[in-house]
Amino acid sequence: MVTALPALSHTQLRLFLLVADLGSYTAAALQACRSQSALSLAIRQMENKLGEGLFEPAARTVLTPFGQGCVPIARTLVDQHERSVAAMHNLAQSRTGKLTIACVGTALRVLVAPSLGRFVAKYPDIGISLLDYNSANVERAVLSYEADLGFCSRVSSNERLHFTPLFGDSFGVVCDRGHPFSQRKSMTWDDLNGATLIGSPVHALLDNRPEAAVLRTCKYQSTHMITTIAMLEQGLGVSVLGSSTLLADKPGLCYVPLVKPVVKFELGLLKLNGRTLPPPAAAMERIMLAEHRMTKKAPHSGLRQ
């Protein structure tokens, strides 16, 4: 049969240590901001629960042998309690912990990177992991709890996911400046028939668009945007990408808007519905949304057309 242990409070242990350390009920009561009678009552209750006296009856500031043995134990308990509370407080204040973000490459540049600097400056002790995925895998990472937040385009209608659009873009043709398409001001989707096409991860957003059926004839397929851009720079073909996909330091490539129809898409913040975010992720969300409210749009990529 297990014997029930006495329930000692953190306050009782702390008051006991104050009296033991200061050797005075008056000084201990003053430091604890308690009346001397309240402090004496707490010590008596602690002694009654333990079944032994902590201080000598004839000299109430002198520890008994039992009391002397209790001091290091009580000090360990109080120190551990205070360290644990401090750790929980730091976690709640996003002073410690880890943030895992899954994002597509374009979202990393136009959404995440500008806010990440502010996040790191405010929460320097938070560990950060960035997962470079396509939009479908970003959704999978958030759904499986692999990532706290996702930044991507919405590719499914899963009700477990909450999507907040932050940045709008439209599709166009990207090619090297030596390609005949580079001389055009705009193009139609039908103009892509017969062109050597390079598939990219972003084409998943166009799967159900009838005007984008031509993308099923891509000669080359790439599962990563860096590879797509490298193939474009080598003049291996053309691709359909968003205007924000490229950086201004790609002078050899150009973007030609696709019209009739103009097809737009959104990048935004993805999280689970009905689940409280971990404090670091909630802090990142606040920074992102505040940034969005201030700018109303993400910074332009500087892509030359």
Side-chain angles (χ1 to χ4, degrees), residues 66-285:
F66 172 71
Q68 291 173 2
C70 287
V71 167
I73 301 171
R75 202 177 307 282
T76 298
L77 287 171
V78 170
D79 289 346
Q80 181 61 42
H81 177 272
E82 291 176 356
R83 284 196 300 271
S84 298
V85 171
M88 289 187 286
H89 179 69
N90 287 337
L91 187 62
Q93 298 298 314
S94 299
R95 292 176 184 152
T96 59
K98 183 179 178 181
L99 170 65
T100 302
I101 294 172
C103 58
V104 298
T106 303
L108 173 62
R109 182 168 49 80
V110 301
L111 292 177
V112 179
S115 297
L116 202 56
R118 282 181 283 280
F119 179 86
V120 170
K122 191 170 184 179
Y123 307 106
D125 295 324
I126 297 294
I128 300 171
S129 294
L130 293 173
L131 309 176
D132 186 2
Y133 289 155
N134 60 27
S135 289
N137 282 331
V138 170
E139 289 194 354
R140 176 196 56 76
V142 173
L143 285 168
S144 64
Y145 306 100
E146 180 186 2
D148 303 308
L149 294 174
F151 295 92
C152 61
S153 293
R154 191 71 189 265
V155 294
S156 77
S157 55
N158 193 313
E159 293 183 355
R160 291 180 59 204
L161 294 171
H162 181 272
F163 181 76
T164 302
L166 298 175
F167 177 75
D169 202 352
S170 57
F171 285 106
V173 176
V174 176
C175 60
D176 72 272
R177 294 200 171 272
H179 196 281
F181 287 169
S182 67
Q183 304 304 313
R184 303 196 185 187
K185 297 294 185 183
S186 65
M187 293 178 59
T188 68
W189 293 84
D190 288 339
D191 291 335
L192 291 172
N193 287 311
T196 301
L197 297 173
I198 301 172
S200 80
V202 76
H203 290 177
L205 304 178
L206 294 162
D207 281 348
N208 298 319
R209 302 285 305 208
E211 61 273 16
V214 66
L215 297 180
R216 297 174 195 151
T217 66
C218 288
K219 180 177 180 179
Y220 304 108
Q221 290 291 343
S222 167
T223 58
H224 202 287
M225 195 61 67
I226 292 177
T227 306
T228 304
I229 293 173
M231 295 172 77
L232 288 166
E233 289 182 308
Q234 292 301 313
L236 297 180
V238 304
S239 192
V240 173
L241 303 172
S243 66
S244 58
T245 302
L246 301 180
L247 296 168
D249 63 357
K250 301 293 180 185
L253 299 178
C254 66
Y255 170 87
V256 182
L258 276 167
V259 297
K260 296 183 181 179
V262 172
V263 179
K264 297 182 178 181
F265 66 96
E266 293 175 317
L267 294 170
L269 185 152
L270 195 70
K271 64 179 182 178
L272 284 174
N273 263 324
R275 179 175 181 259
T276 301
L277 288 171
M284 182 63 176
E285 181 187 38

Side-chain angles (χ1 to χ4, degrees), residues 54-57 59-64 68:
L54 295 166
F55 295 95
E56 297 289 355
R60 288 295 293 162
T61 58
V62 177
L63 288 162
T64 64
Q68 291 173 2

Side-chain angles (χ1 to χ4, degrees), residues 7-8 12 38 40-51:
L8 301 178
Q12 287 174 320
S40 297
L41 177 61
I43 298 296
R44 282 199 305 274
Q45 288 174 336
M46 186 173 170
E47 290 175 324
N48 291 336
K49 288 179 179 180
L50 291 169

